[in-house]
Every structure is written in structure tokens, then in C-alpha cells.
Amino acid sequence: MSKRMGSIGFALAMLMGGSPSAMAENKLFKDIAYDSPLSTYSEAKGYYDCSEDVGAVAVCKDDVDFIGHKFTMALVFSADKLTTVSLVSDYEQALYDAAMAALNNTFTLSMMSDGKSQLDLVELARQTRSRDEFLTKFTSYAELGTAAGDFSYTFLEGADTVKKYASMTMMLLGSPDNTRSAELLLTGEGADATLVIRFSFPKLELNKAHAAAQKPVESF
């Protein structure tokens, strides 16, 4: 399927000296809060168990409005606490364009992946000598990746884009704990093509895993 690459100019501006966007609260999507309990949604009207389809503990809701389109929303939980929110729809070019525009408004495009490799745009901005060189490598990777099938864009909201970090990982580690991530995923071909927007708080999840690892192991 044909997929446009979205607002390259905005990504360049943010990665090559732009200002960071305003920090959001710990809301994954609209009023849906990170770490909220499963019971909040499993008992709410309109939600249904979709764990088998998702492959993890999850509840879904159909016909959720976002950017002028209706999505199926999937809420995924770990230990009965909300970790990610995904918006799922059949792929349409107009929807893809609207999603890219909406994410570019407050997020910084930081990485792309074709499922086999990754292009770290923070690292690329540091290594290239000019805007034209960055744009050439950016465009080549995106064109080849989207033509091959599955492709993803990773955006960060609230990340520190002023300092010159060596990579997206280093930028994330140097940013506030509640830096939000949005992944725009394009999967499948033809009639099976799907668009997914997935929101998470990767650093909060890393902190949670680190805290769990520090707990003393029970003697046995």
C-alpha cells in the first residue's frame, strides 16, 4: 500500500534544534490514566474482554472518536494495571495523513522501524552534517520500509529535545519520567492493511521494572 511519510519538516525542526512540547500529565489517551485498575474499565459500559485477540489481558471499546475517525480502542494491562492504549482501524491514506499530522503537533518523531532494522533519528541528526544529508537518509529508509510492508514510527512527547543526545534511548533516559510515547504502526497489505496508534509511558514502565528487580528475593 502507498504510505506517505508525513511531516518531515516538523521532525527536522524538532530534532535539529526545536523546542520541547508542553509536558502532559500521566494520561495515556484523553482522560484514560496510566496505571489505572482493570476494574475501572472491565465493569464500565461499552467495554468488553478482548484478551484472546490481543494476546494479553485487555479490554476493548468500539467506535472511539479520534481525529475525525472511529477506532477500536484496546486497553492492555499488566498485574491489573493499565500500561498501554492502542487505537486500531483499517488503513486509509486519509487516516494515515491525519494521524501523522496530529502526532507531529505535540510529539517529536524519534525513530522508524521496518521490523528488521531501526533508524534512530536522534542519532541520525547528530551524525549527519546537513539538513539535506539527514533528509536523504530519512527519505530513503522510509520509502523502502513502507513499500516493504510493516512499518512503525515512534514519537516522544515531553522529551528533552534541546540537549544533543547521542540516541533516542539516551534522550528518553534524560527526559522526565512521564514522557509519553506514541507509536504509529502500519501492518498488512491490501484489504488486510491496518493502522494502529499505541500510547505508552516507556520510562515509567522501566522504573516499575527496576523497582521490582530491587525487591529482596524470598528465601526458600
Side-chain angles (χ1 to χ4, degrees):
M1 59 182 167
S2 174
K3 310 180 190 77
R4 293 175 61 189
M5 291 177 293
S7 178
I8 295 174
F10 184 90
L12 282 167
M14 294 300 291
L15 285 166
M16 305 181 86
S19 298
S21 59
M23 174 56 60
E25 296 180 352
N26 294 352
K27 305 286 187 172
L28 283 163
F29 175 69
K30 295 188 176 180
D31 291 330
I32 299 176
Y34 171 81
D35 230 18
S36 52
L38 172 61
S39 59
T40 300
Y41 307 98
S42 60
E43 300 170 3
K45 182 179 180 180
Y47 288 90
Y48 57 92
D49 189 308
C50 56
S51 302
E52 185 173 346
D53 292 330
V54 174
V57 177
V59 296
C60 290
K61 186 177 184 179
D62 296 328
D63 297 327
V64 174
D65 290 315
F66 181 56
I67 56 175
H69 189 84
K70 292 190 181 297
F71 291 83
T72 292
M73 180 172 67
L75 279 58
V76 179
F77 298 81
S78 176
D80 289 344
K81 298 291 186 179
L82 182 60
T83 59
T84 65
V85 173
S86 294
L87 304 175
V88 184
S89 175
D90 293 339
Y91 174 85
E92 297 174 9
Q93 182 67 49
L95 174 60
Y96 167 76
D97 292 341
M100 286 293 290
L103 293 173
N104 275 329
N105 190 43
T106 58
F107 289 77
T108 301
L109 179 57
S110 304
M111 182 174 287
M112 300 187 294
S113 174
D114 60 7
K116 299 176 182 178
S117 65
Q118 296 178 331
L119 181 63
D120 186 326
L121 300 179
V122 178
E123 181 178 4
L124 181 64
R126 186 178 181 87
Q127 293 178 345
T128 50
R129 297 180 180 179
S130 68
R131 179 190 179 94
D132 287 343
E133 183 183 358
F134 178 97
L135 183 58
T136 297
K137 293 184 178 180
F138 179 107
T139 303
S140 175
Y141 187 88
E143 286 182 342
L144 291 173
T146 55
D150 295 354
F151 198 77
S152 66
Y153 301 87
T154 299
F155 298 79
L156 295 177
E157 180 186 51
D160 181 356
T161 58
V162 176
K163 294 181 181 178
K164 300 298 182 182
Y165 290 103
S167 66
M168 188 194 81
T169 299
M170 296 305 296
M171 183 172 75
L172 179 61
L173 292 175
S175 296
D177 287 352
N178 61 341
T179 295
R180 184 167 58 148
S181 169
E183 295 172 88
L184 177 59
L185 303 107
L186 309 172
T187 66
E189 295 287 338
D192 296 326
T194 301
L195 182 148
V196 180
I197 306 171
R198 183 168 59 205
F199 298 99
S200 64
F201 284 105
K203 196 169 179 182
L204 290 178
E205 282 294 291
L206 285 172
N207 291 346
K208 190 185 295 183
H210 179 73
Q214 299 305 308
K215 291 183 178 179
V217 178
E218 182 180 355
S219 299
F220 58 92

